[in-house]
Amino acid sequence: MERTVIKIDEERCNGCGKCVSGCHEGALQVVNGKAVVVSDLYCDGLGACIGECPVGAITLEKRKAAPYDEAAVMERLVPKGQAVVLAHLKHLKDHGETEWLRQGLDYLKRRDLYPDLERTGLSPTESRIGAATCTCPGATAREIARPGFRLAVTPQRKDGGQLSALRQFPVQLHLLNPRAGFLKDADLLLAADCTAFACGDFHSRFLSGKTLAIACPKLDGNLPVYVEKLTEMIDIGGIGTLTVLIMEVPCCQGLVRIAMQAREHARRNIPLTITVLSVSGEVIDTKWI
């Protein structure tokens, strides 16, 4: 079958092993100084290891691979202890993989392991889960309610400051899950890192009512992953529109190319808008592509 699994660039890989510790499922090992995928069965394709790699050697690719096997993963994890099992299940829950989560809980129930855990059903408010996981909190997807926020008007907080228009977290494109629920029918704003600092009314003018992804085409590594992620956000995540907000400097055009390539690769055709800011934060140009 064809599915998404990780791919390791051996030339870039320095064998540090950070990705191994970031993969709860045990799909990765360091062999002869390089990280390798020991079995497709254990790779869930969710990319937790990507954020752990300091040299950008890991990407996601679609290819023929053995189907992911949650039972096989649990066989590997149970001997490592309850904390590791909890981290794995929390990882599945954070990425919305409810079927794999169900299979994992069923595995524990059949073997009468951690019955207290099975009864909770991994509630998102369960404190034990949050305490046991070693998943980076900065990569955990969450929606942020913004009652009363109106386009072009920035409400005041109780302390007198302006209220943020941010509706979800995280925001860095490498950390966003293209299958996150908050992407469904969303107007996605893909903003160059500098734009929010150049434009004083960024939140009310550009971010209000939108889901945010930020990136820098000059400084960020592994740019092909951005194309793949945006393509999945269109086809799988189901975003409704894509707005790219960049600075007038030449390197920012790389973000436009990434967005255009993603739309070309996607099966769905969605509206794409490009807005260019001057270094002083003024809108120079806005166009539909």
Side-chain angles (χ1 to χ4, degrees):
M1 65 176 294
E2 185 176 274
R3 66 185 185 90
T4 301
V5 294
I6 67 166
K7 177 183 179 180
I8 299 173
D9 186 335
E10 290 190 359
E11 292 187 4
R12 287 192 176 188
C13 178
N14 62 9
C16 69
K18 291 184 178 180
C19 59
V20 176
S21 59
C23 178
H24 305 304
E25 294 69 39
L28 295 172
Q29 291 183 14
V30 175
V31 179
N32 295 328
K34 299 290 183 179
V36 296
V37 181
V38 294
S39 175
D40 292 338
L41 292 175
Y42 307 128
C43 180
D44 58 21
L46 300 179
C49 53
I50 292 176
E52 303 293 338
C53 182
V55 294
I58 304 176
T59 57
L60 295 174
E61 67 170 359
K62 288 185 178 180
R63 62 174 173 81
K64 289 186 177 180
Y68 174 79
D69 190 332
E70 177 63 22
V73 169
M74 294 300 287
E75 289 281 358
R76 291 172 66 94
L77 297 189
V78 166
K80 298 181 180 181
Q82 182 175 350
V84 176
V85 171
L86 291 176
H88 164 69
L89 295 176
K90 179 64 162 53
H91 170 67
L92 296 180
K93 183 176 181 61
D94 289 344
H95 286 81
E97 296 294 345
T98 54
E99 175 57 25
W100 292 345
L101 178 59
R102 183 193 63 78
Q103 292 178 19
L105 290 171
D106 285 349
Y107 178 97
L108 297 177
K109 183 177 181 180
R110 290 195 303 269
R111 289 157 179 79
D112 196 28
L113 296 170
Y114 318 137
D116 55 333
L117 169 62
E118 202 283 330
R119 284 196 301 271
T120 69
L122 277 176
S123 165
T125 59
E126 175 60 36
S127 60
R128 286 186 58 227
I129 304 303
T133 180
C134 59
T135 301
C136 174
T140 301
R142 69 199 79 173
E143 294 187 57
I144 303 172
R146 297 296 185 193
F149 203 102
R150 296 292 182 269
L151 186 65
V153 177
T154 307
Q156 300 290 305
R157 297 195 312 260
K158 291 182 180 180
D159 62 6
Q162 289 186 334
L163 185 67
S164 167
L166 186 64
R167 303 169 66 187
Q168 102 288 336
F169 194 83
V171 297
Q172 215 289 330
L173 187 53
H174 270 311
L175 298 178
L176 283 173
N177 177 7
R179 296 170 175 80
F182 52 70
L183 292 174
K184 181 65 174 176
D185 298 323
D187 299 321
L188 180 66
L189 174 64
L190 176 59
D193 290 352
C194 300
T195 56
F197 297 95
C199 185
D201 57 352
F202 173 86
H203 283 252
S204 59
R205 189 171 189 178
F206 298 110
L207 184 55
S208 180
K210 290 183 171 62
T211 296
L212 178 64
I214 64 171
C216 177
K218 183 174 183 178
L219 300 180
D220 294 354
N222 235 354
L223 295 183
V225 171
Y226 282 168
V227 177
E228 295 176 11
K229 276 207 170 186
L230 285 174
T231 302
E232 290 191 358
M233 287 178 179
I234 297 172
D235 286 339
I236 301 175
I239 62 173
T241 67
L242 176 58
T243 299
V244 180
L245 182 65
I246 62 173
M247 303 297 296
E248 62 180 322
V249 294
C251 59
C252 257
Q253 288 295 325
L255 211 55
V256 176
R257 289 192 290 271
I258 288 169
M260 293 181 65
Q261 288 174 25
R263 193 172 70 162
E264 289 172 1
H265 294 167
R267 296 185 300 272
R268 296 174 59 236
N269 186 28
I270 64 170
L272 173 60
T273 308
I274 311 297
T275 296
V276 183
L277 298 180
S278 70
V279 293
S280 60
E282 302 295 329
V283 173
I284 297 176
D285 185 34
T286 296
K287 59 184 177 183
W288 293 81
I289 296 180

